[in-house]
Amino acid sequence: MDKDIIETRGAEALQRLFTVANRDSGQCRYIAHFLLGLYNGHRFPFDLTDLRGLDNELFEDCMTVLRMDARVTQQEVHLYFENGGKRFEQLASDWQVEDMEKVRADAKRAAQPVGSPAPLHDGGTWTGALHTYGDAPGYRDVSIYVKLGEQANTQVELRLSPSDAETVMMHIARVHALAWGDGERGPLDKKDGERRPGWLDRAPADW
């Protein structure tokens, strides 16, 4: 079938269905859910078994709209209406259709109380900056707190045991020693007027 014909028939059926969805009867709820599923299936998933509750005429209109949306894809369904975005959002509000994107976000927040350790997703690279550090007098464990992200709204605690701390210090000292190895040039990222740090000269020779 010609795409122009598919879109013409689909747009006409879409108008009829939207009118039905704004009424108040048993089948109207199914139509509203169907249209919202086409509008944004991630937020408003549609149960296909609801199609069983439609009479033949409404079912055929749904199939006509679905054919247009799947085969023509000229534009999103809400764009066939003036102020379509607001009208579809209002449709969801009128029928109290849950926004599953919001439900998932609320569930994630509920499972992650403020101030508790946040899980990190597998993979990815994070850029952070030192925020602060902590210790307990008499103990050798050290905690370093790093803020992640541009908005610095995620904090990671790095807890270093005595052996880990020594390894980190050795690595840092070696990196700095190598960078300052050329006495005339110094590190490539050296700032104007910056001088070799005194602590580096006091570092153990075997580091």
Side-chain angles (χ1 to χ4, degrees), residues 2-207:
D2 183 84
K3 284 190 175 183
D4 289 340
I5 296 177
I6 294 176
E7 184 175 21
T8 298
R9 294 178 179 177
E12 293 172 351
L14 178 60
Q15 296 290 336
R16 292 193 294 269
L17 290 177
F18 194 79
T19 299
V20 172
N22 282 279
R23 294 174 183 165
D24 185 13
S25 69
Q27 296 185 94
C28 298
R29 173 178 291 274
Y30 299 143
I31 298 300
H33 279 255
F34 171 77
L35 293 179
L36 288 169
L38 290 179
Y39 167 59
N40 192 322
H42 182 69
R43 293 174 57 201
F44 308 112
F46 175 67
D47 185 350
L48 290 173
T49 60
D50 285 349
L51 292 174
R52 300 171 184 170
L54 302 179
D55 60 33
N56 288 335
E57 184 176 350
L58 290 176
F59 178 85
E60 290 302 327
D61 271 351
C62 286
M63 294 302 101
T64 301
V65 172
L66 185 60
R67 183 178 295 107
M68 175 187 71
D69 190 62
R71 293 291 178 259
V72 178
T73 58
Q74 182 69 24
Q75 58 185 357
E76 300 293 336
V77 291
H78 66 284
L79 296 178
Y80 285 92
F81 301 86
E82 185 176 356
N83 297 320
K86 291 183 179 180
R87 297 177 70 179
F88 272 72
E89 292 293 333
Q90 186 61 50
L91 185 65
S93 177
D94 291 343
W95 284 104
Q96 297 181 342
V97 181
E98 281 193 311
D99 183 339
M100 294 308 298
E101 190 172 84
K102 183 177 183 301
V103 170
R104 286 187 287 266
D106 289 345
K108 184 176 180 180
R109 281 193 294 269
Q112 181 59 55
V114 175
S116 62
L120 293 178
H121 297 291
D122 292 337
T125 300
W126 291 269
T127 300
L130 178 65
H131 178 56
T132 186
Y133 65 89
D135 57 24
Y139 292 91
R140 292 178 296 165
D141 284 358
V142 176
S143 292
I144 297 175
Y145 298 93
V146 177
K147 289 287 190 178
L148 299 183
E150 295 180 359
Q151 302 301 320
N153 57 359
T154 299
Q155 179 172 281
V156 173
E157 177 186 359
L158 305 178
R159 180 169 296 176
L160 303 178
S161 67
S163 60
D164 288 337
E166 182 178 0
T167 300
V168 170
M169 288 189 294
M170 290 172 57
H171 178 67
I172 292 175
R174 287 170 180 167
V175 169
H176 282 252
L178 178 62
W180 285 100
D182 186 333
E184 295 183 2
R185 186 191 65 188
L188 297 177
D189 57 354
K190 183 177 68 173
K191 296 181 175 61
D192 291 340
E194 187 177 4
R195 304 175 66 178
R196 179 186 174 91
W199 66 261
L200 188 56
D201 296 325
R202 296 189 296 271
D206 58 349
W207 279 14

